[in-house]
Every structure is written in structure tokens, then in C-alpha cells.
Amino acid sequence: MIKISNLTMVFKQGGGSDSGITALDRIDLEIPTGQCVAIVGPSGSGKSTLLGLIAGLDQATSGSIIIDDTIITKMNEDDLARFRRDRIGLIFQFFHLLPTLTALENVLVPLELKRERNATETASALLKEVGLLGREDHYPSQLSGGEMQRVAIARAAITRPALLLADEPTGNLDTENGQRIIDLLLGLNRSQKSTLILVTHDLTLASHADRIISLKDGKVVKDEMKL
Amino acid sequence: MIKISNLTMVFKQGGGSDSGITALDRIDLEIPTGQCVAIVGPSGSGKSTLLGLIAGLDQATSGSIIIDDTIITKMNEDDLARFRRDRIGLIFQFFHLLPTLTALENVLVPLELKRERNATETASALLKEVGLLGREDHYPSQLSGGEMQRVAIARAAITRPALLLADEPTGNLDTENGQRIIDLLLGLNRSQKSTLILVTHDLTLASHADRIISLKDGKVVKDEMKL
Ligand SMILES: Nc1ncnc2c1ncn2[C@@H]1O[C@H](COP(=O)(O)OP(=O)(O)OP(=O)(O)O)[C@@H](O)[C@H]1O
Ligand SMILES: Nc1ncnc2c1ncn2[C@@H]1O[C@H](COP(=O)(O)OP(=O)(O)OP(=O)(O)O)[C@@H](O)[C@H]1O
Ligand SMILES: [Mg+2]
Ligand SMILES: [Mg+2]
């Protein structure tokens, strides 16, 4: 269960003036374990900011986030890093692959942090599943945009995390590759009971979620369960 | 008129082995001045590679590209840089904004290279047109994904280039902002007679083009004029 209460994020105004930008405005949300949620909304509405706070990558201005019994908003950086390593898979809007590691090595990073055996076979199989057979030894600079995106997806999925946070996971993919990713993510949700939070502009992806939350100007303006 | 003949791009295999990756395989295409063309195809099919060669950013393995009477594939780097500055607007798949310049300053760069007067008013008006009023003074790190994308679009459009090359220009945008961008780009095509080449996975955007070229494994597999 993810419990978000009165969550607010104010950035100092870009130009250095005193007024702030309220990227999130007193958000209240409860997401039951194992739910698949799509978060949609206009560009700039606060989606990536919300995901970053849930992952503990940023510090909220006020409010709280509790994941199961852990108060994310009260943890220090080391504990947050450990929590993420053990429980969260993250797909960033712009991937954040390590440029000095190959596709395979990038996917292996979370498994090595968790010291899993047979890591290489697991990573190769997952790269094949996302259609990257033949690209394992490429560095990010030798991959297309959608190939980099798929490496980022494989890296987040490989530990079968209890909570997967995905920011625009199909943004650089054609319909067919996008569907492969949808199947992979939904598969995690059903077989692993992973909680999935998918930020997306892709209405096909959103249509597969159990619930669609719409943001606008940092607020929740709609919250619909699929019937 | 863009005339592409027998264009081939082979990358050395990612892993350093001797076999190469044929990202483009003997492409022949003619694009009349003022046409609006969508280039579609699966992830990894060669779209960004093709755009990079047309822009003279990379060197083809073989074949030729002629834009009006200029043989792009025979030019040196300085001449290519000047040609791009004077005639081409480029929207990269991952934007390539300068991190140390604000949104407004990023948009101004092409105008300053061309020494235009009233540059600041033109840039501000264009940022407003893409919905970025209030974000002019933000640095790229202070912008959302779709906001950065729109800065990149404004930067490419500001010189009203004779040839605009756009790689996934709506990839990080919701429907409404995406439509604003479609209107802007089509407006350039109609009023400026700019030739537009739009690489995209967005079928809505592609549907507005005069012609849709489909790539697969580095080859043109379909080339359809809209009726
Ligand atoms: N460091 C920052 N300083 C100032 N403003 C910021 C900063 N980071 C983000 N913002 C602003 O906060 C708002 C929300 O940003 P966020 O990245 O969450 O949007 P988003 O919904 O993910 O948008 P997109 O769909 O374009 O990716 C944006 O309007 C952005 O300009
Ligand atoms: N420097 C490189 N070395 C080796 N292979 C490369 C290199 N750059 C690109 N490739 C390969 O060339 C192919 C075409 O890449 P390109 O970026 O043109 O694809 P794309 O159609 O733009 O894909 P996407 O829709 O994912 O952006 C890809 O399979 C990619 O792995
Ligand atoms: Mg975002
Ligand atoms: Mg590409």
C-alpha cells in the first residue's frame, strides 16, 4: 500500500525570483499493493515529480509518503538507496543508462547490487524478451532511442521489484515494440503482484491499467477505476 | 528537392567484432521542395540515422545526398555547419539543449548565429506559441521532459528554415500539446514552404503528412502519397 498525504512540491522559480513553482499541490492518494495505475496529464502537470518523490529521489516540500510501513519522506539518503535497491524498479523518462557500460552490463547492475546468481543468463533472456538480441554488447551511444528505452526497461524489471515506477516507458517505441513492453509490465503485475505506476501519454498503455489518475497543474483532477 | 541515392550506413558491430550493422541499406528517395513527409518504422529501423545523414551530421558509408544543388555527402565539416545554420532546422530525438543556457537563450542560439534583429521578441513569442510562457528563464534541468522537447522545437523553428528535420517531435507530449506542435510544424510547411521531414511513432502526426515513408531493417518498404 502506498499512502500519499498532503504531498506538496514547490520549486524555486526558474529565474531565481522569490515566487515558487508548485509542481505538486497537496496530493492525497492511496494505491493498494498489486494495483496497476496509469498517471496521465498534460506536459508539466507534475507526473515525473510525483514519481521522483515516491522513489525517494527528491525531498518533498511538505506532506508524507508511506510505502507499506516505511515512511519514505523521513528516511535518509543511505536508507532510501537501500530501499530502492531492494524494493523498487525505476524507468526514467530519459533512461539514465551508464554510458560506459554495455546494454547487458547496464541491465546487470541491479542484480549485482542484490548479488544474484545466474545474473548473466537472466539479463540476456530479458534483453531478448524486449527484442534486443544482438544488441547486448552495444554501448548506449551505439543504440537507437527506442533500444536505449528498452535497456532501461529491462534494467528496472530484472529484479522483479515489488514496486515498479515507469516514466513514459513506450515514448520512443513503435506500436509493436510498445505492445511487447506492455505485455512485459502487465506480466510482472499479474505474476509477481508487483505494484505498477505508469506515467504515460500513451493512451493504449493507460487503457490496460486498473485505474487512471489524471494530474493537472499539480493536482489530482480525476481518479477512475476501470470497470 | 532532396535526392538520396544508394545511401548506405554501416556501423562497426557494437561488440567490436568484424561484422557491421547495416543501419541503412541502399536507400533511394526523392523529396520535392515543400513536401511534408513522415518517416515511420520500428525502433531500430534506421530513422534517426537517415535524418542525421541528411543533416550532414554523420558521414555515409556510401551513396549520395543532394539538397537542391549541394552535394551534402561531399562537403567538409565547416561548410556543412554553415549549410545547417542557413538552411536547416533540427529537432533531435533527445533534444540536445545546452544545459548552461535558459529556455529563451537556447531558442535564441540559431538567431544569433544568423545575426537577426529583434531576436528576443521573436524567441519569446515562439516560446509562448508552444505553451512555455513562464518558463523562459528555466534551465533545462528545471523543465519537464515535454517542456524541454518544446524548447528544442522552438529552437529549430525560429529561423523558419527551408528544411526542417524533426525526430519524434511529439514523443513526450500529451495530445493537446502535441496538436499545438503539429499546427506549428504544418504552419511552417504551408506559409514558409518549408520542406518537413518528420520521424515519428505518433500515427496522428504521421496522418497529417503528404506522404508516409516506412523503413524496416534499413530499407524503404513502403512509400505512400496521401490521397
Ligand atoms: N528544478 C525545477 N525548478 C523549477 N521548476 C521545475 C523544476 N523541475 C520541474 N519544474 C517544473 O515543474 C513542473 C512539473 O514538472 P514534471 O517534470 O513533474 O512534469 P511532467 O508532468 O512530468 O511533464 P512531461 O509530461 O512534460 O514530462 C513543470 O512545469 C516544470 O517546469
Ligand atoms: N554507433 C553505432 N554503432 C553500432 N550500431 C548502431 C550505432 N548507432 C545506431 N546503431 C544501430 O543502428 C540501428 C538504427 O538506429 P537508428 O537510431 O537509426 O534507429 P531508429 O529507427 O531511429 O530507432 P528508434 O525508433 O528506436 O529511435 C539500430 O539497430 C542501432 O542499434
Ligand atoms: Mg515527465
Ligand atoms: Mg531514433
Side-chain angles (χ1 to χ4, degrees):
Chain A
M1 155 77 72
I2 302 173
K3 188 158 164 45
I4 298 168
S5 311
N6 215 25
L7 189 69
T8 295
M9 185 71 156
V10 179
F11 292 110
K12 271 223 175 89
Q13 178 77 15
S17 71
D18 288 329
S19 69
I21 287 183
T22 302
L24 293 174
D25 190 356
R26 289 165 294 170
I27 303 272
D28 291 316
L29 280 176
E30 277 188 27
I31 297 173
T33 301
Q35 191 169 67
C36 174
V37 186
I39 301 185
V40 303
S43 169
S45 54
K47 306 179 297 296
S48 298
T49 301
L50 179 57
L51 231 55
L53 290 176
I54 295 171
L57 290 169
D58 297 308
Q59 214 176 358
T61 306
S62 58
S64 68
I65 298 172
I66 304 176
I67 299 180
D68 298 333
D69 300 315
T70 306
I71 307 175
I72 296 296
T73 35
K74 288 216 181 322
M75 288 165 90
N76 66 44
E77 294 233 0
D78 291 339
D79 292 340
L80 283 169
R82 198 169 315 131
F83 188 86
R84 269 195 297 278
R85 183 196 68 196
D86 295 340
R87 305 239 220 140
I88 297 182
L90 262 165
I91 302 165
F92 294 92
Q93 191 166 359
F94 298 106
F95 325 148
H96 298 200
L97 298 182
L98 295 171
T100 52
L101 299 186
T102 63
L104 184 68
E105 291 164 347
N106 265 286
V107 175
L108 279 170
V109 168
L111 285 187
E112 292 178 336
L113 293 177
K114 296 185 83 170
R115 310 248 173 92
E116 273 197 27
R117 293 193 206 156
N118 300 325
T120 304
E121 290 126 48
T122 314
S124 291
L126 194 44
L127 279 173
K128 188 174 178 195
E129 192 176 341
V130 297
L132 289 176
L133 191 68
R135 295 289 182 274
E136 295 90 341
D137 300 332
H138 285 230
Y139 290 91
S141 60
Q142 299 170 323
L143 293 172
S144 77
E147 289 170 346
M148 284 193 277
Q149 184 152 43
R150 288 180 274 157
V151 174
I153 290 162
R155 179 179 65 178
I158 197 155
T159 53
R160 297 198 207 106
L163 172 60
L164 188 90
L165 307 173
D167 202 341
E168 310 284 356
T170 58
N172 286 282
L173 299 176
D174 52 285
T175 318
E176 189 173 328
N177 276 301
Q179 189 58 51
R180 236 190 259 212
I181 293 318
I182 291 172
D183 294 341
L184 171 72
L185 297 175
L186 294 180
L188 280 175
N189 181 236
R190 285 169 203 147
S191 65
Q192 303 297 326
K193 310 273 183 290
S194 301
T195 304
L196 287 193
I197 305 181
L198 311 171
V199 163
T200 185
H201 291 302
D202 177 349
L203 303 176
T204 307
L205 177 57
S207 70
H208 289 282
D210 305 317
R211 174 184 181 188
I212 299 182
I213 294 170
S214 306
L215 295 188
K216 189 171 167 32
D217 299 325
K219 298 183 182 65
V220 175
V221 296
K222 206 173 178 190
D223 188 344
E224 276 191 310
M225 288 303 293
K226 203 165 154 191
L227 296 157
Chain B
M1 156 75 73
I2 301 173
K3 188 159 163 44
I4 297 168
S5 311
N6 214 26
L7 189 70
T8 295
M9 185 71 156
V10 178
F11 292 110
K12 270 224 177 89
Q13 178 76 18
S17 72
D18 287 330
S19 69
I21 287 183
T22 303
L24 293 174
D25 190 358
R26 290 164 293 171
I27 303 270
D28 290 316
L29 279 175
E30 277 188 27
I31 298 172
T33 301
Q35 191 169 67
C36 175
V37 185
I39 300 186
V40 302
S43 169
S45 55
K47 308 179 295 298
S48 297
T49 301
L50 178 58
L51 231 56
L53 290 176
I54 295 171
L57 290 169
D58 296 308
Q59 213 175 2
T61 305
S62 57
S64 69
I65 298 171
I66 303 176
I67 300 180
D68 298 335
D69 299 316
T70 306
I71 308 173
I72 296 296
T73 35
K74 287 213 181 328
M75 288 166 91
N76 65 43
E77 296 233 359
D78 291 338
D79 292 340
L80 283 168
R82 199 170 314 131
F83 188 85
R84 269 195 298 277
R85 183 196 67 197
D86 294 341
R87 304 240 220 140
I88 297 182
L90 261 165
I91 301 165
F92 295 91
Q93 192 165 0
F94 299 105
F95 324 147
H96 298 200
L97 299 182
L98 296 172
T100 53
L101 299 186
T102 64
L104 184 68
E105 290 165 346
N106 265 287
V107 175
L108 279 170
V109 168
L111 286 187
E112 290 177 338
L113 292 175
K114 296 185 86 170
R115 310 244 173 94
E116 274 198 27
R117 293 192 208 157
N118 300 325
T120 305
E121 289 126 49
T122 314
S124 292
L126 193 46
L127 279 172
K128 189 173 177 196
E129 190 174 344
V130 298
L132 290 176
L133 191 67
R135 294 289 182 273
E136 296 88 342
D137 299 333
H138 284 231
Y139 290 90
S141 60
Q142 297 171 323
L143 293 172
S144 79
E147 289 169 346
M148 284 193 278
Q149 185 153 40
R150 287 179 274 157
V151 175
I153 290 162
R155 180 180 64 178
I158 197 154
T159 53
R160 297 200 207 102
L163 171 60
L164 187 89
L165 307 173
D167 201 340
E168 311 283 357
T170 59
N172 286 281
L173 298 176
D174 52 285
T175 318
E176 189 173 329
N177 277 301
Q179 188 60 47
R180 235 190 259 214
I181 293 318
I182 293 172
D183 294 342
L184 171 71
L185 296 176
L186 295 180
L188 279 175
N189 180 238
R190 285 169 202 147
S191 63
Q192 302 297 326
K193 310 272 183 289
S194 302
T195 304
L196 286 195
I197 305 181
L198 311 171
V199 162
T200 187
H201 292 302
D202 178 348
L203 304 176
T204 307
L205 176 57
S207 69
H208 288 282
D210 304 319
R211 174 184 182 189
I212 299 182
I213 294 171
S214 307
L215 295 187
K216 188 168 162 39
D217 298 324
K219 297 183 183 67
V220 174
V221 296
K222 206 173 178 190
D223 188 344
E224 277 190 311
M225 290 301 295
K226 203 165 153 192
L227 297 156

